[in-house]
Amino acid sequence: MPRAKKRSGRAHLLAGFTQAFEKEKRQRDDFIVSVCAGGQQGNVQPFSDEDASIETLSHCSSLSERTSAAEEAGETEEMAQEDFQYKLKVYIDSTVDKSAKTRQGALDGLKTAMATKILYEFISERRMTITDSIERCLKKGKGVEQCAAASLACLLCIQLGSGIESEECATSLGLCTLVAEDDIMDVYATMECFESLFTHSYVRKDGSRPSVNPQTTQLHTNALLSWALLLTICTGSHIRAIAQKHLSKLPRLLENDDVNMRIAAGETIALLFELIRDVDSEFDYDGWEPLCEKLSALATDCNKHRAKTDKRKQRSVFRDVLKAVEEGDFQSETIRFGTERMVIDSWVRKRTYDAFREFVGSGMNYHLQANEFIRDVFELGPPMLIDSAALKAMKSSRLERHLYNAAAFKARTKARNKFRDKRVDVGEF
């Protein structure tokens, strides 16, 4: 009888592995057929939130209770890793597909993967292939495809860091230049390219405004923000030259009809004031009072022709900008990720953080924890290793904070209700 039970257990284990293998093979074959079919049916779909996690790519196998938990976890993780990398390879191959929709889907898939996972080794082995694909999509693609390729170039730089690898994919994009370029003269040349764009939105000396369509305005806004990002790594002498050349002209962008351009201009002015004051503590700006009046008007804007959401967003930003220009203050912000926290305590740090977050998106906290390059940019030190006990303690404290906040909210509600009752009684009396 014991031998029969032992054979039965082994047969059950073998059957479980066989079922899992056949299911994996069917799904992989279906995926290959869907990609190779081309056209609308062959479109490569971008990563979903589930795809972004390697754990969700694994398939559950029916294993015997006699199989150890450690062996099961190791085999599942290995299968998941292989499946994940296989899917990335298909995306890379599909970036040269004849179908524009397939290329677009492949670019979006790679973007999401790079934004949510550290893939340094995988990408390093294929950096030339990926770089060639990005360059091809930028040159031959149109509209959305070019935007996706440009974003992927930035994410590629973020993944590879500032080594030789990232120099191969450096373009005139602000973030790529910040990450990959080590020649300050090339940085200045890139800034001049950005200047040639956003200065076309300046209000002219005679007070007339240039006729610019919304799409061009967005281009000028992005150029201004990229220019401001590179401004954070300029030398002191160059910052002086920039301040002398642009500080009297940048306020003209505050009169732009587009709220995003006004905000970008305001934040850039605050950044430039912060940088020039660090270089020259006795810096004096002749147009300081008119500028403060203009910033104050935007911080209290009540223009009925503007949307409420735009006015609310604008007022919040320009209150901070006004404090920066008048008093040299910055409204600090704390970013929490895992068991760590980072303080955004300057306009330089804010512009850098916003630039990375624009491309990484919801994966920013993950990159702050695990990406060595980004941690080096923000001076966070090597990635921290968190054991299960510390993670459990962290979750426990979060639960405690949630319960405390819930109790406090309930107490405030009761107090307010009592106060309202008293006001009603007084009114009726």
Side-chain angles (χ1 to χ4, degrees), residues 67-87:
T67 304
S68 68
E71 291 177 354
E72 178 183 354
E75 291 166 356
T76 303
E77 184 177 355
E78 184 177 355
M79 290 175 61
Q81 183 70 20
E82 291 177 358
D83 202 12
F84 182 77
Q85 292 187 359
Y86 176 80
K87 196 168 186 178

Side-chain angles (χ1 to χ4, degrees), residues 87-117:
K87 196 168 186 178
L88 290 177
K89 293 175 185 177
V90 173
Y91 282 137
I92 293 173
D93 293 339
S94 299
T95 57
V96 296
D97 194 90
K98 293 182 179 179
S99 169
K101 291 184 178 180
T102 301
R103 295 196 303 271
Q104 177 67 41
L107 292 170
D108 289 339
L110 290 171
K111 280 171 53 183
T112 305
M114 290 189 194
T116 53
K117 291 292 175 186

